[in-house]
Amino acid sequence: MTVALAALVPGALLGWAVYAVVGGGSGGDDPKEGASAGASASVSSSSRAPSSAKASPEPSGTKPSASATSGAPSASAPPASGPLKGKVVVIDPGHNPGNFRHTAEINRQVDIGTNRKECDTTGTSTNGGYTEAEFTLDVAHRMRALLEAQGATVKLTQDADRPFGPCVDERARIGNKAKADAVVSLHADGSGAGNRGFHVILPGAVNAGAADTRAIVEPSRDLGERIAGNFVRATGSAPSNYVGGGTGLVTRKDLGGLNLSTVPKVFIECGNMRDSKDAAQLTSGAWRQKAAQGISDGIVSFLRG
């Protein structure tokens, strides 16, 4: 516990302390590929296509955005007056529900600065068939509503409004072109059963080819630390027990979405879809609202300084 507290940096300390007190339980740019410490990169056949299985019904009082309930894509609403007025946030929902129908396109190699990787991947799913692509879009919609209520201009890299992708290099360009003040890429892991918890992936210092992350390493770490602390506080989830040494923070140099970013950006793996206990949370609308709140609170904390 002492080691975890020391490593989980000041922005995350309070959230981790709350967790301790309450006793809470890559091909393409898929962070699951190449993950260390025993994380599995395999995806069973059930994750190759969206299933008819749905997440648990939305609880009373949970109000996702209109596009989350109707399935229709929507553009960011005009920014409201609030503490984040003038700030731009890009949310990058990992994968795309249509990727499994476009394997040739998403297997195309793209340049990520350090090397070449697949355009995108299909993502993973729970054993019950709830896909990562469904999960990331749902959380993205909830985050958009929360952040727009704070006055931010919010853009999504995709909203199931295109047949596949975008590729990982384009995802980075979307945030760069928007001159985003913060970008968060949403994911859920596909590791082995018994591997539980979340982790935030930070960009390492890369200067190769088209990639130069040196200017964003420090602000991205600040963003990631604040998201980690607030995610613990909002969800009660523990940092990953299989990567990050209990800190909930992992630094990577092999993800194109980070390598090619010129603005502060992190990834978050919100939990492990292949573990039954984590899957029960990820498929809960009430828990996804908490996840959206925690990530959004971290972004707000970062942007307000």
Side-chain angles (χ1 to χ4, degrees):
M1 177 63 73
T2 301
V3 173
L5 282 169
L8 196 58
V9 292
L13 279 175
L14 178 58
W16 175 248
V18 170
Y19 169 79
V21 170
V22 301
S26 186
D29 228 16
D30 189 341
K32 292 166 280 301
E33 298 290 340
S36 59
S40 169
S42 63
V43 179
S44 77
S45 59
S46 67
S47 69
R48 300 301 181 189
S51 164
S52 58
K54 298 297 180 184
S56 57
E58 301 296 337
S60 175
T62 299
K63 297 184 182 299
S65 66
S67 61
T69 55
S70 69
S74 67
S76 177
S81 176
L84 298 188
K85 187 172 180 62
K87 300 294 186 180
V88 177
V89 176
V90 171
I91 304 172
D92 178 29
H95 314 290
N96 180 316
N99 276 0
F100 79 98
R101 291 187 293 267
H102 296 273
T103 54
E105 291 91 342
I106 67 169
N107 285 332
R108 177 175 65 84
Q109 298 281 306
V110 299
D111 183 6
I112 66 164
T114 53
N115 62 303
R116 297 182 69 83
K117 294 182 72 173
E118 290 87 350
C119 158
D120 203 359
T121 68
T122 58
T124 189
S125 72
T126 66
N127 293 331
Y130 181 59
T131 67
E132 183 180 3
E134 292 177 86
F135 170 81
T136 62
L137 275 174
D138 182 83
V139 175
H141 293 152
R142 296 168 187 269
M143 286 177 59
R144 178 170 60 191
L146 291 167
L147 292 166
E148 287 179 343
Q150 294 281 322
T153 297
V154 180
K155 301 178 183 295
L156 271 59
T157 58
Q158 60 92 12
D159 199 2
D161 52 352
R162 53 189 294 160
F164 66 91
C167 295
V168 299
D169 54 343
E170 184 182 352
R171 288 176 186 264
R173 286 196 298 271
I174 290 169
N176 297 344
K177 184 178 180 180
K179 298 182 180 179
D181 296 287
V183 184
V184 177
S185 187
L186 302 174
H187 289 268
D189 213 349
S191 187
N195 290 339
R196 297 199 61 194
F198 77 93
H199 61 279
V200 178
I201 304 174
L202 314 173
V206 172
N207 182 23
D212 186 354
T213 63
R214 291 173 296 177
I216 69 163
V217 166
E218 288 307 315
S220 295
R221 172 168 285 275
D222 185 21
L223 172 63
E225 289 169 351
R226 291 171 187 266
I227 287 175
N230 281 280
F231 194 83
V232 170
R233 189 158 42 242
T235 65
S237 294
S240 170
N241 64 6
Y242 59 100
V243 291
T247 67
L249 302 173
V250 177
T251 299
R252 299 271 295 269
K253 298 182 180 181
D254 62 324
L255 299 175
L258 296 180
N259 288 357
L260 299 175
S261 182
T262 59
V263 294
K265 182 174 182 178
V266 299
F267 282 50
I268 182 168
E269 292 276 12
C270 295
N272 176 22
M273 290 192 132
R274 293 299 182 178
D275 177 84
S276 61
K277 292 180 180 179
D278 270 12
Q281 295 179 330
L282 296 164
T283 55
S284 162
W287 189 89
R288 293 195 302 274
Q289 187 67 26
K290 292 178 182 178
Q293 187 72 61
I295 300 168
S296 298
D297 286 350
I299 294 170
V300 172
S301 173
F302 171 73
L303 294 180
R304 298 191 71 180

